[in-house]
Amino acid sequence: MTGDSDRKWMTMALKLAARGCGRTRPNPPVGAVVVKNGKLAGSGWHRKAGSDHAEVVALKQAGDQARGATLYITLEPCCTYGRTPPCTDAIMRAGLRRVVVAVKDPNPRHMGRGLALLKRAGIHVQCNSQDGMAERLLAPFAKMMRSGQPFVTLKLGMTADGKIADRHGTSRWITSAGSRKMVRAMRCKVDAVMVGAGTIIADDPSLLPSGGTGNSMRIAVDSKGRIMPDAQIFCDGNACRTIVATTRMCPAAKRKAFEASGATVLLLPVAGNRVSLRALMKKLGQMGLLHVLCEGGSELAESLTSENLVDEYLFFLAPMILGAGKPAFYGGNGRRLESCPRLHFSGCHAVGPDTLVCAVRDKKMESVLCSQD
């Protein structure tokens, strides 16, 4: 196989893997392709935890064609028993000649072990990260393995002068229909959508992808129980997908009402008279949520940024100027110029009349949600 051929098939595997984003927790999204004599013999992607892994799906599809073929897979094959048997066993039984892996497993318990097993079995193993595409796809899983916390994307729809609502609190609609459609599509690719109590009170959003598809959760951060039990997130038939992050400042009767709807209530420590966001992230990691998309409001955006908890920022900028209005980041005493967080712009895209600016905290990283097809 030539380098161009390897890139072609690995790109296909990565596109297959991206279909699993937001659906596989606590497992990572993975895609695989089996190629025999330059032709596709089998393909697959991991659909949900407990189901066949991507390489097993591809090998089953390939059948006898797998013998002597090449397997392209976006993540190092697992080599231990979990909900399913080790994929390395299936690969060795299939009689593959060559395995091309995009990245090693970021789990330190497994990193490199699967590749070593395949090499000892006489299979030729290569790594091809496809220009960082695989690393971006697996960034949420890698962060979970490293820190036990989910990857956090903060999305803000704002005017060109950084306002998310006018001085009367009206925010519908600052951004265009195209931007809002893109955000609804992004909800399918994450494990949870998070907002503050103020957003629920002001807008009563669903926070689900269009038509309620996917299996993303929705998180309302409400330290004092300001949200009413008749909010849409409790009454739309999907309350089982709702998490309320609160504290003992929330009346017990309110907590019971939230739970009665079918929602999950997380009783968390207080930090600065609010929900401890660090405690929340730790709990969400324990629940297996890999990627959280925060959609506001301004106080939650400020708190997450101040706590250094945001990995990726998505700024949807509308071509309008409000002047007086609600800023995108609100609360606290501000920062001195020399000590403010520094971001690295990683992408800029036109979305109808709006502009999407992607930024990351770590200059070595590129945007995750912005880079997915």
Side-chain angles (χ1 to χ4, degrees):
M1 290 278 183
T2 66
D4 288 342
S5 179
D6 281 350
R7 281 191 290 274
K8 168 189 171 182
W9 296 115
M10 186 59 78
T11 297
M12 179 183 289
L14 286 162
K15 288 182 177 179
L16 287 168
R19 297 183 186 180
C21 289
R23 301 172 183 271
T24 61
R25 61 177 182 266
N27 296 344
V30 181
V33 171
V34 178
V35 178
K36 181 73 171 288
N37 297 325
K39 296 181 179 181
L40 180 67
S43 63
W45 52 285
H46 185 41
R47 294 175 181 267
K48 65 178 182 179
S51 68
D52 283 343
H53 289 187
E55 53 268 62
V56 172
V57 175
L59 289 170
K60 285 181 177 179
Q61 191 179 109
D64 292 340
Q65 286 295 304
R67 186 160 300 278
T70 296
L71 171 69
Y72 295 87
I73 181 162
T74 59
L75 178 67
E76 175 182 0
C78 66
C79 59
T80 57
Y81 280 89
R83 295 190 190 184
T84 58
C87 290
T88 48
D89 289 359
I91 291 171
M92 290 186 286
R93 285 196 305 270
L96 289 160
R97 178 182 64 84
R98 180 171 174 254
V99 172
V100 181
V101 174
V103 292
K104 292 182 179 180
D105 191 334
N107 186 337
R109 293 177 53 233
H110 303 149
M111 186 181 293
R113 289 181 57 196
L115 300 183
L117 282 171
L118 298 180
K119 288 177 181 178
R120 286 201 293 270
I123 298 172
H124 182 56
V125 175
Q126 286 181 253
C127 287
N128 177 354
S129 68
Q130 196 62 23
D131 302 322
M133 289 173 60
E135 285 86 350
R136 292 193 293 275
L137 186 70
L138 290 164
F141 180 69
K143 184 182 178 185
M144 180 66 72
M145 292 296 100
R146 183 176 67 251
S147 68
Q149 297 183 15
F151 187 97
V152 177
T153 297
L154 175 59
K155 165 261 168 186
L156 289 166
M158 63 179 77
T159 62
D161 59 338
K163 303 299 191 300
I164 63 170
D166 66 19
R167 60 191 179 91
H168 301 290
T170 302
S171 60
R172 293 188 173 184
W173 295 106
I174 287 177
T175 54
S176 67
S179 291
R180 299 195 299 275
K181 181 179 179 181
M182 179 178 286
V183 172
R184 289 194 295 272
M186 287 177 175
R187 291 174 182 172
C188 292
K189 301 176 182 179
V190 299
D191 297 296
V193 177
M194 181 169 70
V195 297
T199 298
I200 299 289
I201 294 167
D203 299 334
D204 193 22
S206 162
L207 302 177
L208 295 178
S210 299
T213 56
N215 66 347
S216 60
M217 304 293 288
R218 49 198 177 182
I219 304 165
V221 182
D222 183 11
S223 59
K224 299 177 181 177
R226 296 165 54 206
I227 301 171
M228 298 305 294
D230 62 354
Q232 188 174 183
I233 60 172
F234 302 118
C235 303
D236 63 359
N238 287 286
C240 61
R241 294 167 67 176
T242 298
I243 297 170
V244 180
T246 190
T247 71
R248 294 195 181 278
M249 293 187 291
C250 174
K254 266 288 186 71
R255 300 199 302 264
K256 289 180 180 178
F258 296 155
E259 290 175 333
S261 73
T264 298
V265 175
L266 302 180
L267 197 59
L268 298 164
V270 176
N273 208 36
R274 302 175 187 275
V275 170
S276 168
L277 294 177
R278 290 196 173 277
L280 172 58
M281 291 303 156
K282 182 177 180 181
K283 183 64 178 177
L284 296 179
Q286 292 170 352
M287 295 171 69
L289 302 182
L290 302 177
H291 194 170
V292 173
L293 171 63
C294 178
E295 295 193 19
S298 60
E299 293 183 36
L300 183 56
E302 170 65 25
S303 297
L304 286 167
T305 300
S306 294
E307 292 285 336
N308 207 27
L309 293 172
V310 181
D311 299 286
E312 173 187 42
Y313 293 81
L314 305 181
F315 302 117
F316 285 85
L317 303 178
M320 62 176 73
I321 296 174
L322 275 175
K326 192 169 187 178
F329 296 85
Y330 179 78
N333 298 316
R335 306 172 185 85
R336 294 184 66 85
L337 184 61
E338 64 269 19
S339 60
C340 68
R342 295 285 179 172
L343 305 180
H344 305 273
F345 292 131
S346 57
C348 185
H349 313 272
V351 187
D354 301 337
T355 298
L356 169 58
V357 178
C358 308
V360 293
R361 193 179 68 196
D362 184 352
K363 65 181 179 180
K364 295 180 292 184
M365 187 183 82
E366 291 190 44
S367 175
V368 173
L369 274 179
C370 281
S371 63
Q372 292 181 15
D373 291 333

